Amino acid sequence: MARSAVAGAPGISRSRLTTIMVLTGPAYIWLVVTVLLPLSVMLYFSFLSDVPIGKRVAVLTIENYAAFFEKDFYRILMLRSFRLGAEVTFYCFLFGFPCAYVLAKVIKGRWREALFLLIILPFWSNALVRIFSWTMVLRGNGILERAVNWLIPDFGPLGLMFTYPAIIVGLVHSYIPYMILTCYISLQAIDDHLIEAARSLGAGRFTVLRRLVLPLAFPGILAGAVLIFVPVLGSFMEPRILGGRIGTFIGTIIEDQFTAVFNWPLGAALSFIMLGIVLLILLIGVPAVRRVI
Amino acid sequence: MAQVTLHEVSKVFGRLKALDRVSIQFEDGEFYALLGPSGSGKTTLLRMIAGFEILDSGRITIAGEPVEDKPVEKREIGMVFQNYALFPNMNVFDNVAFGLSVRGTGAAETKRRVGESLELVQLVGLDQRKPHQLSGGQKQRVALARALVTRPRVLLLDEPLGALDKALRVEMQIELKRIQRNVAITTIFVTHDQEEALTLSDRIGILNNGRLVQEGSPHEIYERPTSAFTARFLGDANLLRGTVRNGFVELADGTRLSSAMPPGAEGTPVVCAVRAEKILLESAGGEALGQGENELPARVISHIFAGSSLTYLVGWRDETLKVHVQNRGFEVIPEGAAVRLSWPTGDTVVVQP
Amino acid sequence: MRRRYTLASFGRFYLALMLLFLYLPIVVMALMSFNSSPFYRLPIDWSLTWYSALAQNSRLIDAGLNSLWVALATTGLATVLGTAASLAFFRYDFKGKKVLQLLLFPPIAIPWLIIGTSMLVFFFWVGIGRGLHAMVLGHVALAIPYVIIVVSARLRSFDPHLEEAARSLGATSWQTTWRVTLPWTAPGLVAAALFAFAVSFDQFVISYFLSTPGVSTLPVEIYTAIRKGFTPEINAVSTIIIAISMALLLGVARFYRFGGER
């Protein structure tokens, strides 16, 4: 295609430009108005002393950001959220990667397609409902507790509901299909002959995994990790439902600022601190994501 | 470097018999080509020697030692794949060094042997290149160096030249032969390209439908095919059906063909194979035709010009026969002209139908 | 060599465990929705109590209808806007194309919590306010990137020579689009539309911040009910929702191959 005939040159290229604008314009105006503008306004709000609505007087200030660095409370919560994100990501990799491997390299033919679909089917179904469904499993005298007590009589209550592990289980359940999906895509792209070549050269299974499969699947693993870590960092509904009173994270605090406390500027500042850290991670991770998708 | 033997090896995929009691002995240091059409089982056989396929029955030994239960990585083989299978995450040096590093070879020794290996395949100075920066021929050389660096007992080649274009393929054939002679390693080579097999190998085994149909030197296989399949698969052979009568083969119209070898028991149906380039084609002018054996009257249907030779398609009864004539500046016999085909007794090869 | 078979069967077993993990809670929830005991007593006392209770619950029914309307509006808008942009990306190389494609990432990559709250702030500030119209605004923004990704994937396997052939036969640019390109892209369009519907229908976070006490969608109502100490009707409505989403995804899979070709 003629790269040279882009904007600038008159005649044909002008009509081309019009066509391109007509086709892409509406979608991108929409995105700008509903995503980019709101983000910018929120950035502006994060530097205000109060919400500039009605008769309230708002002045520019950095005290919302200062609050984060002055009060241990927010920093500890931010770290807690990072730990949650890291743990969920790690478990998703630990359990998801072998699953992707089996799917990509062991299962063949029609079965593979069917199983793959089964794995990502819950993934696109309602996230809230899936988290809620875990309360049915984890609750006191629920299915899991009964099963454990049936296997080991007099085991007593499990007490899993409203605990940190419950949040982890729920989040891993929510996000593990991401990891399986991205790892599967990059594992599937590895030519089986490469693995055979390595084995013919004397490499055992573990060596093949360590020196060939993991390095080649790394973009997929990284993509999965980014796609899991970022949303977990911003999760608030999951910790509230499965964590109850102990489910306080930076996400729930931000939510509180907007729905309960109505301290929008502080909520905005906390969001942008989190976003700043997320962007830093994306800056490292996005090249890998783009290579896989 | 070692002898490899296959004894009554069989493999079934579902209902398909991929290999049916195949026994071959690969001699120490020989270049052996497994030749056959696709689906003949040749690749399965190679992968079985490597250990990627598990045999259903039979025995495989390398240097006298049974290897059926050995995993691939313990068999001490070298293998070159059709698409080279170079590790994309490693440069040329690391690719070649891979086999040494998994064996725990020291850094100095590794460097020396990788260097030697790359020199052997005449690929010095590209150590730091990544596979995607190499040409097809260079990839081929790296794959070969990588397979040889561990000094395997046997070298397995799975259509290694299949992905190269014609000119490069010929060049690499010569290279491959030189390198194989140089290291004198038992080499088993899978190909569907008859010319490649004839050029490169000491011996050829022809596979069809999972069975070993014939084996022998390229010359033997070409000149003395034992079955109609081999005759048709290698080169251009005209097949003529007939019956054994009084030591001759009598064709349907009563023409008698004689062969150098006894054609078989009286009355048995046989097929005679005559190579297209062995037939003498003459214009059947006025002169009387000898009533000798191995002589057929025919009519030219068409001709195909191929530069160094001219191929006539001629009709004899209901059959279409092929005749290759060397291009020596002759006059082309026009279509429709009556011609006489004849060939020496020794070129009538009686094969199994 | 027997080892290889056992390793492979262990792998299959592991896959089965994973599926069990993924489906167990959903199945348990679905079973409980048919249990008449409000305390989830076992064994299950089969009944449709909660489904009939659901039929009487006007709050949930209203929320369900809201969800449906928002999802339908989102589907229509996002599919048209996203497809138009995909066509431009497919057909033209132009300055800034990379930037535009990169712009698709924020709605996917930024946590919904932040997108949702910033929409709340912005819509409030400029006077758009909250409610179903605000939700449609937000949902369309989330769905557009998915539509573009799905439609572009389909277009990528379209042979551009077909367009050239149509042009050479005298078709105008618009005729070519309508009669050659779009018909070929149809399966991708259907998949994208189903995707957009699913994105909106299952969306909770954005809806949560843009809802008002009287006007909300099903997921928001469910969340409120869970937070308040819920009634077992939630099991029933959740089961219905999950059944709808899964049916939608199966529909998508019918038209769009996940995990690339092969």
Side-chain angles (χ1 to χ4, degrees), chain C residues 2 6 13 25 36 42 74 101 123 135 137 140 146 176 182 204 212 255 257:
Chain C
R2 198 133 297 137
T6 51
F13 177 69
S36 73
L42 293 170
T74 302
Q101 283 172 333
F123 292 170
M135 290 185 203
L137 278 173
V140 170
Y146 290 107
T176 307
L182 281 181
F204 160 68
T212 59
F255 294 103
R257 302 191 61 156

Side-chain angles (χ1 to χ4, degrees), chain B residues 121-153:
Chain B
V121 298
Q122 300 183 334
L123 203 70
V124 180
L126 300 179
D127 303 26
Q128 299 307 316
R129 293 264 183 101
K130 282 287 184 84
H132 65 88
Q133 297 167 311
L134 300 175
S135 71
Q138 288 169 333
K139 284 183 193 168
Q140 170 69 62
R141 287 165 196 264
V142 175
L144 201 57
R146 184 178 69 176
L148 289 171
V149 78
T150 57
R151 297 182 186 143
R153 300 189 287 188

Side-chain angles (χ1 to χ4, degrees), chain A residues 2-19:
Chain A
R3 225 166 236 285
S4 54
V6 188
I12 296 171
S13 72
R14 182 140 312 151
S15 77
R16 261 174 55 104
L17 202 65
T18 315
T19 315

Side-chain angles (χ1 to χ4, degrees), chain A residues 279-293:
Chain A
L279 279 181
L280 209 67
I281 295 167
L282 284 184
L283 228 56
I284 306 162
V286 152
V289 179
R290 282 168 53 87
R291 225 176 305 154
V292 172
I293 293 175

Side-chain angles (χ1 to χ4, degrees), chain A residues 46-263:
Chain A
S46 72
F47 288 103
L48 292 181
S49 61
D50 199 353
V51 190
I53 288 169
K55 296 219 159 54
R56 297 186 191 184
V57 185
V59 289
L60 285 174
T61 172
I62 56 157
E63 72 182 52
N64 299 309
Y65 288 91
F68 176 79
F69 294 99
E70 280 160 11
K71 290 186 190 158
D72 285 345
F73 176 67
Y74 298 121
R75 218 175 37 248
I76 289 169
L77 274 182
M78 189 69 84
L79 282 176
R80 208 166 115 85
S81 284
F82 267 85
R83 195 185 127 199
L84 182 74
E87 280 184 38
V88 169
T89 307
F90 174 73
Y91 288 125
C92 285
F93 166 70
L94 189 69
F95 297 113
F97 185 83
C99 188
Y101 187 87
V102 172
L103 209 53
K105 295 293 172 203
V106 178
I107 311 281
K108 298 268 183 275
R110 291 189 63 83
W111 269 102
R112 181 198 295 195
E113 218 169 300
L115 286 170
F116 185 72
L117 194 62
L118 269 179
I119 280 174
I120 54 166
L121 194 56
F123 173 51
W124 278 108
S125 68
N126 199 295
L128 172 76
V129 168
R130 283 200 295 143
I131 288 294
F132 164 66
S133 72
W134 273 102
T135 63
M136 289 288 113
V137 177
L138 297 175
R139 63 197 300 281
N141 202 23
I143 288 283
L144 199 63
E145 196 170 293
R146 277 164 167 268
V148 169
N149 276 288
W150 178 74
L151 281 170
I152 313 162
D154 301 322
F155 184 87
L158 272 174
L160 266 177
M161 194 58 200
F162 303 132
T163 61
Y164 187 73
I167 304 173
I168 296 270
V169 168
L171 285 170
V172 168
H173 182 253
S174 283
Y175 289 108
I176 202 169
Y178 257 139
M179 184 62 88
I180 298 177
L181 179 73
T182 55
C183 287
Y184 172 79
I185 291 171
S186 57
L187 281 171
Q188 197 202 30
I190 300 176
D191 187 351
D192 285 347
H193 283 138
L194 290 179
I195 295 168
E196 291 183 348
R199 301 206 51 210
S200 78
L201 289 165
R205 281 168 196 288
F206 184 71
T207 313
V208 173
L209 184 70
R210 190 172 56 84
R211 299 212 27 201
L212 200 62
V213 176
L214 281 177
L216 289 176
F218 188 69
I221 298 169
L222 198 60
V226 170
L227 290 174
I228 291 166
F229 186 79
V230 173
V232 168
L233 217 53
S235 64
F236 68 96
M237 161 270 279
E238 296 90 341
R240 281 214 201 278
I241 295 177
L242 293 174
R245 245 174 310 143
I246 74 127
T248 307
F249 291 89
I250 199 71
T252 61
I253 290 296
I254 293 175
E255 186 221 335
D256 276 342
Q257 305 310 314
F258 286 94
T259 59
V261 188
F262 294 109
N263 189 349

Side-chain angles (χ1 to χ4, degrees), chain B residues 39-74:
Chain B
S40 61
K42 54 189 195 302
T43 299
T44 307
L45 196 62
L46 194 79
R47 292 171 57 79
M48 207 166 259
I49 298 169
F52 294 124
E53 302 285 351
I54 300 154
L55 53 165
D56 293 335
S57 65
R59 272 205 330 270
I60 300 178
T61 66
I62 298 177
E65 170 205 10
V67 293
E68 305 93 68
D69 292 323
K70 272 202 166 183
V72 180
E73 61 268 25
K74 298 263 158 60

Side-chain angles (χ1 to χ4, degrees), chain C residues 214-241:
Chain C
V215 186
S216 63
T217 60
L218 215 39
V220 178
E221 277 303 320
I222 292 174
Y223 183 67
T224 315
I226 296 169
R227 299 280 289 149
K228 275 185 191 151
F230 55 94
T231 60
E233 286 151 79
I234 296 302
N235 272 335
V237 71
S238 296
T239 305
I240 293 174
I241 287 194

